[in-house]
Amino acid sequence: MVVLSFTAAVAHQAFRSDEPAKLVYGGQRMADSQLSKSFMTTPQTHRVFVYGTLRRGHHNHSLLEMSKFIGEAATLRTYWMITTGVFPIVLDAVPADFGLPPLAIAGEIYHVDDATLEQLDRLERKGRSYDRKVTDVYETGHMVQAHIYIGVADYWHHRHLPAWTIQNKRRELEWTPS
């Protein structure tokens, strides 16, 4: 219904050649400067679960320094983890002969803006090395959904990297550098 009133206002103004077209919103004319402000969007905030070098105290954490740290968390879904020794890879599928059960992953939750999410996508080589997916996690006692970077199976499986098996006291896989 609002769209119709915008359309009608523009059509009405387009026939008047003595002044530029203005949109009418809520019965008021809006100047061009007001119009651009009224349609501006605010940056999105994204919830991201990190489990490796992006965590506090690790070498890629500087990418998250301006983001809001929410707290420690763990995935509700279970995954497998392999490691290069320098960084971990979480997988949601493994070959049948992998030999280990999947477990929850320990990590941290951050609220990040659009620009930071783009930086994380570049770091994780989104679409090549990792896919950004959504998983359920606990945030301050509530189940929420968060982005997580999951290793692309075709990229990692043929590398035959060792499984990460070290668990914390809650029996979650928790990565630390070798």
Side-chain angles (χ1 to χ4, degrees):
M1 188 149 191
V2 171
V3 173
L4 293 176
S5 65
F6 281 143
T7 305
V10 171
H12 173 72
Q13 290 298 321
F15 290 114
R16 296 181 63 189
S17 59
D18 59 330
E19 64 181 272
K22 306 275 191 274
L23 289 181
V24 176
Y25 179 74
Q28 296 178 341
R29 283 185 159 207
M30 297 177 70
D32 293 337
S33 61
Q34 291 173 314
L35 180 62
S36 64
K37 289 178 185 173
S38 71
F39 288 107
M40 294 176 85
T41 60
T42 57
Q44 292 286 333
T45 300
H46 309 274
R47 186 179 287 113
V48 178
F49 175 83
V50 299
Y51 54 84
T53 64
L54 288 163
R55 289 178 17 230
R56 292 170 299 156
H58 297 283
H59 69 271
N60 283 322
H61 181 70
S62 61
L63 292 173
L64 294 172
E65 284 180 342
M66 301 306 291
S67 299
K68 184 176 182 182
F69 171 72
I70 302 302
E72 294 183 1
T75 61
L76 296 177
R77 179 179 172 188
T78 57
Y79 297 94
W80 293 269
M81 186 182 286
I82 57 176
T83 184
T84 66
V86 178
F87 60 89
I89 300 101
V90 167
L91 301 169
D92 58 4
V94 295
D97 63 351
F98 192 74
L100 295 170
L103 295 171
I105 306 294
E108 298 171 348
I109 296 285
Y110 289 84
H111 289 182
V112 306
D113 61 18
D114 293 332
T116 302
L117 190 63
E118 287 178 25
Q119 288 180 320
L120 297 178
D121 285 349
R122 279 193 298 278
L123 172 71
E124 304 293 3
R125 297 176 46 188
K126 181 178 163 241
R128 295 182 311 213
S129 302
Y130 293 87
D131 285 326
R132 180 167 30 96
K133 296 186 177 185
V134 174
T135 193
D136 292 329
V137 296
Y138 274 115
E139 175 184 288
T140 62
H142 297 86
M143 186 181 75
V144 295
Q145 292 189 321
H147 294 285
I148 183 173
Y149 290 92
I150 301 292
V152 173
D154 291 342
Y155 184 85
W156 295 107
H157 283 176
H158 74 278
R159 299 174 191 279
H160 304 290
L161 295 170
W164 185 263
T165 59
I166 297 174
Q167 300 172 28
N168 61 23
K169 62 184 175 187
R170 294 178 304 275
R171 301 192 41 82
E172 302 155 347
L173 292 173
E174 186 166 6
W175 181 80
T176 55
S178 300

